[in-house]
Every structure is written in structure tokens, then in C-alpha cells.
Amino acid sequence: MHVLLIEDDAEAARFLVKGLRESGYSVDHAVDGREGLLRATEGQFDLVVTDRMLPHVDGLAIIELMRANGILTSVLVLSALGSVDDRIRGLKAGGDDYLTKPFAFAELLARIEALLRRRAGSPHTTRLKVEDLEFDLLARRVTRGGRAVELTAREMKLLEFLMRRAGQVVTRTMLLEGVWDLHFDPQSNLIDVHISRLRQAIDRDTRPPADPHRTRLGLRARRPRNGCPLVRAGRHSGTCSSRF
């Protein structure tokens, strides 16, 4: 699930981003109301978590503009303003939930999960499926042919990233930025190791393919002329220079 966090307090933002990513969410962070408004109105998020008192554009104004533009993404408001009138104002502006600061991170997670469950009947995707591999994004549960697949939070994030792009070419840069939030190549085998572990977990206890040149899950790497490895999600046949 892709979450947009709009928070101008740097320390609070670091804590929330770290906690949400460790819980398996993909998180983008906007540092003020102006940037948050631009990102939120793109409408490409499963959930928006916004502080109320922000520089440049107030959190409630962001919500009102989102709704005016027909963006129905769920919004959770975080605020130190906790009176009944403040909470009512936040909900009437179009917010879906209102959490008063300070709060326990466990409660924030519970509220996020509740909001995402409410959206389960909406066009937002809550379940990914590639052949017999299924990923329940709300329950954070992966199965292969009905068999539960045990994955770490990072492996789940990697799998979600790939399944959302099934059949597309995914570059190392895309993986580093989207899964590890790295904007440079550490020149290590980080990606290769995680892809290998993910592949082993998913293919465990499954019968080997009849064709030795066909991948079972379809995660493969190939090295084009410029030497940059590409990872492809989906089912493919034929040989390749390196196969996960």
C-alpha cells in the first residue's frame, strides 16, 4: 500500500516514515502543505496521512481541494488540536479519521488498517494476483497455490513492487528507489540477494517446471549491452544470462 505522509516536523516525520516502512507500507513524504497538495492531487496513493497545521497550505485546505477535484483517497488527519469542534471541523472538511497528538504508533497503524478496510470495496486494489501467487495487501498475507508464504517486511515490499508491475521491465534504479528509498546505487549485491531469497520462499515446496528454461515465478534478470541488470515480473520462457 502506498501512503503519502504530509508532515513539516522533521523528527516526527522520520519516526513515522520509519515505522510505516517497517510495517510494510511504501511511504512518500511531503515536507509542507504546498508540496503535500501537489502530491495528494496526483491521486496515486492508497492513503494520505496529513498534519493539520502546515506551512503554506493548511491540512484541511488540502483535503477540501482533494475532494473538490474528485479525489476520494482516504485521509487521516494528525493534529494537536483535539477539541470536539476541531475534530468535527476536520471530518467535515472531508477527512476520514482524526487522530489527536500525542498518539501511540500502534493506534495509528490500527486506524490506517481500518481506513484501508473501508476502502476494500472501492476501485483501490487490495489484492494482487499473478497466476497462483496472491498477495492480500490488507492482511499482509502472501499465498502460492493456497500455501502460505512467510516473508519479511522488506521481502513483502519487494514482492508488492514487482507484482504491481507484472509483465513490465523493472530497473535496478526503480527497485532501489521504490523498495529501499535509495537514490544511488550502493554497488552491492543487495537486490540480487533479496530477489534470491524471495524466489526461494515463493518456490519452496512447489514442483519444478517441466521446461528447465522456464522460470516458475517469472522473476528474472538479464544484462543488456550497457551492463545494467533488469528485473522482470511476470512469466517468461527461454534462456537468460542470470535467472532468480
Side-chain angles (χ1 to χ4, degrees):
M1 289 293 186
H2 200 181
V3 177
L4 172 63
L5 172 68
I6 311 174
E7 173 61 76
D8 63 310
D9 184 308
E11 184 176 351
R14 280 194 297 271
F15 173 77
L16 292 173
V17 168
K18 182 176 184 292
L20 290 171
R21 286 176 176 164
E22 288 177 348
S23 299
Y25 294 97
S26 175
V27 185
D28 285 7
H29 174 220
V31 299
D32 58 40
R34 183 182 296 134
E35 181 187 357
L37 176 61
L38 289 173
R39 302 296 301 278
T41 50
E42 292 174 356
Q44 298 177 351
F45 298 93
D46 299 294
L47 178 73
V48 174
V49 178
T50 181
D51 189 17
R52 177 169 174 174
M53 301 173 67
L54 294 165
H56 308 306
V57 182
D58 179 78
L60 300 191
I62 292 174
I63 301 172
E64 290 170 343
L65 288 167
M66 287 174 61
R67 302 311 185 217
N69 282 279
I71 298 171
L72 303 179
T73 307
S74 296
V75 181
L76 171 59
V77 180
L78 306 177
S79 179
L81 303 175
S83 71
V84 173
D85 288 342
D86 287 323
R87 295 197 299 272
I88 291 174
R89 195 172 296 115
L91 295 173
K92 283 191 172 182
D96 296 276
D97 199 357
Y98 194 105
L99 183 58
T100 303
K101 297 178 179 180
F103 53 81
F105 185 74
E107 182 179 1
L108 173 66
L109 282 180
R111 288 175 180 260
I112 287 174
E113 291 167 3
L115 287 174
L116 293 174
R117 282 197 300 271
R118 293 178 200 169
R119 304 292 296 178
S122 74
H124 289 253
T125 301
T126 60
R127 185 182 296 272
L128 302 175
K129 181 176 174 62
V130 177
E131 299 186 10
D132 63 344
L133 180 66
E134 297 187 54
F135 192 162
D136 185 329
L137 298 174
L138 294 181
R140 308 303 296 173
R141 184 172 184 269
V142 177
T143 59
R144 175 91 190 273
R147 176 185 63 85
V149 178
E150 298 297 328
L151 300 174
T152 65
R154 181 73 68 183
E155 290 166 349
M156 283 192 175
K157 189 173 182 180
L158 174 59
L159 179 61
E160 179 180 350
F161 191 92
L162 291 171
M163 290 183 73
R164 286 184 181 276
R165 294 159 182 80
Q168 303 174 26
V169 172
V170 179
T171 67
R172 288 180 64 89
T173 299
M174 291 169 64
L175 287 171
L176 288 169
E177 291 183 349
V179 180
W180 281 272
D181 196 31
L182 294 176
H183 300 281
F184 64 93
D185 191 337
Q187 299 298 319
S188 71
N189 63 347
L190 177 72
I191 293 176
D192 305 79
V193 168
H194 279 81
I195 288 284
S196 178
R197 290 175 180 171
L198 176 61
R199 184 62 189 275
Q200 289 173 18
I202 290 172
D203 282 344
R204 186 175 295 123
D205 300 328
T206 59
R207 294 180 62 186
D211 181 352
H213 297 305
R214 180 181 295 274
T215 65
R216 281 177 283 177
L217 171 63
L219 300 181
R220 74 174 185 177
R222 60 185 175 86
R223 192 171 297 274
R225 293 178 182 177
N226 63 6
C228 176
L230 299 179
V231 178
R232 184 181 294 271
R235 181 178 291 277
H236 305 281
S237 60
T239 60
C240 51
S241 58
S242 176
R243 188 163 57 215
F244 300 123

